[in-house]
């Protein structure tokens, strides 16, 4: 009896530790639950990227299921993801861009909006345009309120304007299938 | 020789001055606010580069968080209010001190449990029953020793 416990106990401990560490190999450390889940999008008043006279508020999300995609022309992964987003758009999904610029530093001068618009037009001309419109997060305040850590990130917003899914990283066919597809269908049916 | 040393020292002084100049500079009205800012930027974790605090990190998000902390400190918000503000947006994750709840309680309990098990094992090994003398075996051993002589 003593001998068994002498060998079995360390074995159990070892196997437990091995399983725990093995799982760690496949977990994404950047993945953590959004605090906004099932809560409304934080309030904002921000201009349209292409026509700054136009302003948007949280009202724009009411009544339809929206994919809010955080991006910028400077973001390499975004360029990879845009063609797939365009495919989603062609399937009838409503995709809105949340654009923020890296070079616009609120404290040290501002790159002209015209320059940003030019860059965006050029980029979307090359890659295709999945966006119904782009909200221009001038000082990155909305990004901060949304808990955005970088680009690309995507929020799935329901018809009441509540955040139902927050994905960090790019959307590709695999991510769409595993993470978005079923939730999206549910929200459409609501 | 003396001059040469002075020159080296001077160049170091100039170098350090220039590196300071390239960093963000934040002005505070009071020393307490300044102290709070430096304390918080050390204790808040960068959501992008996870093993750095926001004071250390060069990521844009860290710069944005520093600016936000500066803004909130200047508005006169307290330490707890600012930490809560960040937690509301980036989760418990953003603060290096985890809250005690059902999942994290094990961080404190596991070490205690291990120490407890250790103590129990030590006590039990001390209380080993004294070996009972087996007279028959002793005699046999004595006989063997006798034979060897």
């Amino acid at each position: 009896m003593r001998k068994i416990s002498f060998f079995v106990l360390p074995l159990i401990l070892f196997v437990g530790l091995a399983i725990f560490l093995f799982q760690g190999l496949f977990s994404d450390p950047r993945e953590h639950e959004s605090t906004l889940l099932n809560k409304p999008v934080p309030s904002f008043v921000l201009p349209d990227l292409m026509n700054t006279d136009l302003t948007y508020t949280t009202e724009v999300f009411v009544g339809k299921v929206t994919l809010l995609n955080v991006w910028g022309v400077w973001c390499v992964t975004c360029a990879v993801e845009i063609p797939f987003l365009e495919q989603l758009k062609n399937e009838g999904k409503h995709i809105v861009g949340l654009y923020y610029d890296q070079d616009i530093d609120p404290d040290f001068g501002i790159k002209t909006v015209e320059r940003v618009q030019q860059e965006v037009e050029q980029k979307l001309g090359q890659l295709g345009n999945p966006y119904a419109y782009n909200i221009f997060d001038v000082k990155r305040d909305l990004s901060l309120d949304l808990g955005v850590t970088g680009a690309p990130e995507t929020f799935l917003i329901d018809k009441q304007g509540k955040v139902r899914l927050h994905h960090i990283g790019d959307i590709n066919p695999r991510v769409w299938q595993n993470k978005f597809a079923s939730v999206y269908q549910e929200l459409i049916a609501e | 020789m003396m001059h040469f040393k002075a020159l080296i020292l001077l160049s170091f002084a100039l170098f350090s001055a220039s590196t300071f100049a390239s960093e963000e500079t934040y002005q505070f009205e009071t020393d307490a606010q300044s102290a709070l800012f430096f304390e918080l930027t050390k204790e808040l974790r960068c959501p992008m580069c996870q093993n750095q605090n926001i004071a250390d990190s060069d990521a844009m998000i860290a710069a944005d968080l520093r600016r936000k902390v500066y803004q909130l400190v200047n508005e006169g918000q307290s330490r707890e209010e600012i930490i809560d503000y960040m937690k509301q947006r980036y989760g418990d994750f953003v603060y290096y001190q985890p809250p005690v709840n059902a999942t994290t309680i094990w961080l404190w309990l596991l070490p205690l449990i291990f120490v407890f098990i250790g103590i129990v094992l030590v006590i039990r090994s001390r209380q080993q029953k004294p070996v009972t003398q087996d007279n028959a075996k002793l005699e046999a051993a004595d006989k063997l020793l006798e034979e060897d002589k």
Side-chain angles (χ1 to χ4, degrees):
Chain A
M1 184 57 211
R2 249 187 95 75
K3 261 196 179 151
I4 290 177
S5 70
F6 194 74
F7 286 109
V8 167
L9 213 73
L11 188 70
I12 290 173
L13 278 176
F14 170 76
V15 170
L17 193 68
I19 290 173
F20 177 74
L21 293 176
F22 188 72
Q23 276 180 336
L25 289 179
F26 301 99
S27 77
D28 181 358
R30 290 189 59 199
E31 198 75 37
H32 50 96
E33 191 107 306
S34 170
T35 49
L36 271 180
L37 228 50
N38 299 319
K39 290 193 190 135
V41 175
S43 66
F44 65 91
V45 181
L46 286 171
D48 185 282
L49 177 62
M50 290 306 172
N51 174 13
T52 45
D53 293 332
L54 207 62
T55 52
Y56 298 116
T57 63
T58 45
E59 295 287 303
V60 290
F61 299 122
V62 177
K64 47 184 167 267
V65 178
T66 308
L67 284 161
L68 184 67
N69 178 244
V70 184
W71 77 291
V73 291
W74 44 267
C75 152
V76 183
T77 319
C78 302
V80 177
E81 139 188 272
I82 281 175
F84 180 66
L85 289 180
E86 203 196 6
Q87 194 186 317
L88 292 177
K89 183 201 90 174
N90 291 338
E91 289 166 11
K93 276 135 196 142
H94 181 61
I95 303 177
V96 173
L98 179 65
Y99 191 87
Y100 72 87
D101 203 287
Q102 228 177 1
D103 296 332
I104 294 185
D105 191 319
D107 291 333
F108 303 101
I110 277 186
K111 188 175 167 184
T112 63
V113 179
E114 286 77 23
R115 180 92 182 85
V116 179
Q117 289 172 342
Q118 258 177 22
E119 288 175 355
V120 170
E121 256 166 24
Q122 199 191 349
K123 197 70 163 186
L124 293 182
Q126 287 168 5
L127 298 168
N129 184 1
Y131 304 109
Y133 54 86
N134 274 284
I135 299 170
F136 189 19
D137 194 5
V138 191
K139 293 187 172 178
R140 303 194 283 268
D141 283 331
L142 178 56
S143 301
L144 206 130
D145 286 342
L146 282 167
V148 169
T149 61
E153 289 189 18
T154 303
F155 296 85
L156 182 55
I157 298 167
D158 70 9
K159 290 175 186 169
Q160 284 88 47
K162 285 182 184 162
V163 175
R164 301 296 284 267
L165 222 165
H166 177 187
H167 177 69
I168 295 175
D170 67 319
I171 295 193
N172 50 45
R174 183 178 48 83
V175 171
W176 180 264
Q177 209 48 48
N178 294 342
K179 199 167 172 182
F180 282 84
S182 60
V183 187
Y184 181 82
Q185 290 311 327
E186 258 173 53
L187 295 188
I188 285 288
E190 261 178 16
Chain B
M1 193 56 202
M2 226 29 228
H3 283 293
F4 185 63
K5 271 186 185 165
L7 204 67
I8 289 182
L9 277 177
L10 187 67
S11 70
F12 275 122
L14 286 174
F15 181 70
S16 63
S18 67
T19 51
F20 262 116
S22 67
E23 283 175 13
E24 305 152 313
T25 45
Y26 289 116
Q27 304 289 327
F28 295 93
E29 284 166 25
T30 66
D31 285 349
Q33 286 183 339
S34 167
L36 179 61
F37 174 81
F38 285 111
E39 202 181 307
L40 278 170
T41 51
K42 274 189 198 128
E43 288 173 14
L44 289 167
R45 184 182 191 176
C46 170
M48 187 75 183
C49 23
Q50 313 202 326
N51 294 330
Q52 285 183 303
N53 55 28
I54 61 172
D56 268 345
S57 173
D58 276 335
M60 186 167 58
I61 177 71
D64 284 354
L65 291 184
R66 282 197 296 271
R67 193 171 55 243
K68 196 46 113 179
V69 171
Y70 172 68
Q71 194 186 319
L72 297 177
V73 166
N74 259 2
E75 281 172 15
Q77 297 214 21
S78 74
R79 191 189 143 79
E80 273 63 40
E81 282 170 328
I82 297 173
I83 292 171
D84 280 348
Y85 179 97
M86 292 300 172
K87 278 187 179 175
Q88 262 170 33
R89 283 154 184 80
Y90 290 93
D92 291 332
F93 174 86
V94 79
Y95 188 54
Y96 271 118
Q97 175 80 38
V100 183
N101 61 31
T103 1
T104 58
I105 189 73
W106 296 104
L107 293 174
W108 288 269
L109 279 188
L110 271 181
L112 285 180
I113 290 173
F114 274 115
V115 169
F116 180 74
I117 290 177
I119 290 172
V120 168
L121 284 182
V122 167
I123 290 174
R124 276 185 52 174
S125 71
R126 289 266 167 94
Q127 286 176 342
Q128 286 292 352
K129 279 180 280 178
V131 187
T132 47
Q133 282 194 357
D134 191 332
N135 288 326
K137 274 188 181 169
L138 263 179
E139 270 168 37
D142 279 340
K143 258 184 198 162
L144 279 174
L145 283 171
E146 287 293 322
E147 279 166 21
D148 273 354
K149 272 182 184 168

